[in-house]
Amino acid sequence: MFGYIRVDKPELKIREFETYKAIYCTLCRKLGRRYGPLSRLTLSYDFAFLSVLNMALKPGQVCFERKRCAFNPMKKCNYCTEDKMFDLPAAAAMILMYEKILDNIADEKGLRKFGFKLLKPICRSAYKKAAGSYPHIAELATEYLTEQHQIEAENCTDLDRASEPSAKMLSKLLCLCSEDLNEQRVLERLGYCLGRYIYLLDAACDLPQDIKSGAYNVFKGETDVKKRVEPQLYFCINEAGKAFELLDPYKYRTILGNIIYLGLEKTFQKELSK
């Protein structure tokens, strides 16, 4: 994923932001301990959101403690004392990063393609470890990449069809955060809307680079990309909000609501302004 599911920091209370930051830092530490130091490069706001959501749907209190940061030993950060609930987000981060590397090898040319080829063997062992623990996530990622390649090969210009693999993949991934069938139905819709949002925003942001490199982009040929994509993104946000209203998390509702109601819009407005 691409880091587009962010909080709107100014609108969070200090204690809420400190909780969010502690979850983010715990995920970073989990990645390093489980998959090695380089795996920390997969850390993004999207997987922090997945971590918050996964924890929010589980009963019980979460405790925090202050420890030194692995990157900056002079600094102390808050961490969750129990990191088992970070297994799923950490594995998803590694699996999707490896699939992204394979996708970039297929799409890129020249030095960038060579760079991703160098990364592939480095990340393969971490991928195998994550896929061994969560084979269903690996299957989801492979299925997503296969469908995406087929759509790109057809040079598809239909936004709904082009964003469908990403939307389906995230909808199924979010369902893994709960074993309750009613919650899973809501999470499926929430994930679908967020997956579509991520795909469309990333495609819009990548358009100048894709035109230059000759890579596929669903917005190629558009005269006003912002005018076309903005209503689509607002629709995704509104539908995600409707789905979120049906959830009844045990905790962190304010943080999740901040991301969905405020963070998504602020993020895409900031990214499109570039």
Side-chain angles (χ1 to χ4, degrees):
M1 291 192 276
F2 306 93
Y4 294 136
I5 307 180
R6 308 171 192 164
V7 295
D8 184 7
K9 180 180 174 181
E11 296 298 326
L12 282 176
K13 293 180 179 179
I14 293 175
R15 69 171 179 271
E16 292 166 347
F17 180 69
E18 288 299 320
T19 299
Y20 175 79
K21 192 165 66 170
I23 292 171
Y24 185 91
C25 291
T26 307
L27 178 59
C28 178
R29 185 176 66 172
K30 180 73 174 184
L31 284 166
R33 287 182 171 181
R34 178 76 174 161
Y35 301 109
L38 283 177
S39 68
R40 296 175 190 265
L41 297 175
T42 66
L43 185 65
S44 77
Y45 295 116
D46 297 343
F47 294 110
F49 167 78
L50 182 60
S51 300
V52 175
L53 182 65
N54 191 41
M55 296 171 70
L57 296 175
K58 305 293 189 299
Q61 185 179 1
V62 177
C63 298
F64 301 92
E65 59 184 348
R66 288 187 68 79
K67 290 186 176 182
R68 297 200 179 276
C69 174
F71 278 150
N72 184 4
M74 300 299 293
K75 177 184 176 183
K76 282 192 173 183
C77 300
N78 290 321
Y79 295 97
C80 302
T81 54
E82 174 56 59
D83 67 358
K84 185 170 180 56
M85 283 182 285
F86 292 84
D87 289 347
L88 170 66
M94 292 309 308
I95 290 169
L96 290 174
M97 182 195 72
Y98 186 74
E99 294 290 355
K100 180 64 176 173
I101 289 173
L102 297 181
D103 188 42
N104 287 336
I105 290 173
D107 291 343
E108 297 291 347
K109 298 176 182 178
L111 287 176
R112 284 178 61 84
K113 186 184 189 81
F114 179 71
F116 286 117
K117 281 188 174 181
L118 289 179
L119 277 176
K120 182 181 174 182
I122 297 173
C123 300
R124 187 185 290 120
S125 60
Y127 166 81
K128 287 182 176 179
K129 189 173 185 179
S133 300
Y134 291 88
H136 42 297
I137 298 181
E139 290 172 9
L140 276 179
T142 302
E143 181 183 330
Y144 151 71
L145 199 60
T146 301
E147 289 183 18
Q148 199 66 56
H149 281 163
Q150 183 179 346
I151 287 170
E152 292 176 6
E154 296 170 7
N155 203 28
C156 175
T157 57
D158 182 84
L159 298 186
D160 291 335
R161 186 158 177 259
S163 61
E164 184 74 4
S166 177
K168 287 196 303 185
M169 186 272 294
L170 197 56
S171 72
K172 292 177 182 178
L173 180 59
L174 260 58
C175 283
L176 299 177
C177 294
S178 175
E179 295 180 356
D180 182 273
L181 292 179
N182 290 326
E183 276 188 343
Q184 284 181 348
R185 282 194 286 268
V186 177
L187 291 169
E188 185 176 14
R189 180 59 179 167
L190 177 61
Y192 186 92
C193 297
L194 292 178
R196 192 169 188 272
Y197 167 92
I198 290 172
Y199 178 86
L200 293 174
L201 179 54
D202 186 62
C205 292
D206 284 352
L207 182 59
Q209 180 184 322
D210 290 340
I211 290 174
K212 187 177 179 180
S213 67
Y216 166 81
N217 192 297
V218 70
F219 291 113
K220 274 188 179 179
E222 289 290 328
T223 55
D224 191 342
V225 174
K226 186 175 181 180
K227 185 178 180 180
R228 188 179 184 199
V229 75
E230 209 169 48
Q232 298 284 339
L233 294 174
Y234 273 121
F235 177 79
C236 293
I237 292 170
N238 290 336
E239 291 299 304
K242 291 177 185 178
F244 177 67
E245 284 297 319
L246 299 176
L247 280 180
D248 187 21
Y250 290 98
K251 46 190 173 287
Y252 307 146
R253 185 175 187 86
T254 306
I255 298 174
L256 292 169
N258 172 279
I259 293 171
I260 292 167
Y261 298 131
L262 301 174
L264 294 177
E265 180 182 1
K266 189 168 184 178
T267 296
F268 93 67
Q269 291 287 3
K270 179 180 179 181
E271 294 297 326
L272 291 182
S273 69
K274 298 176 183 178

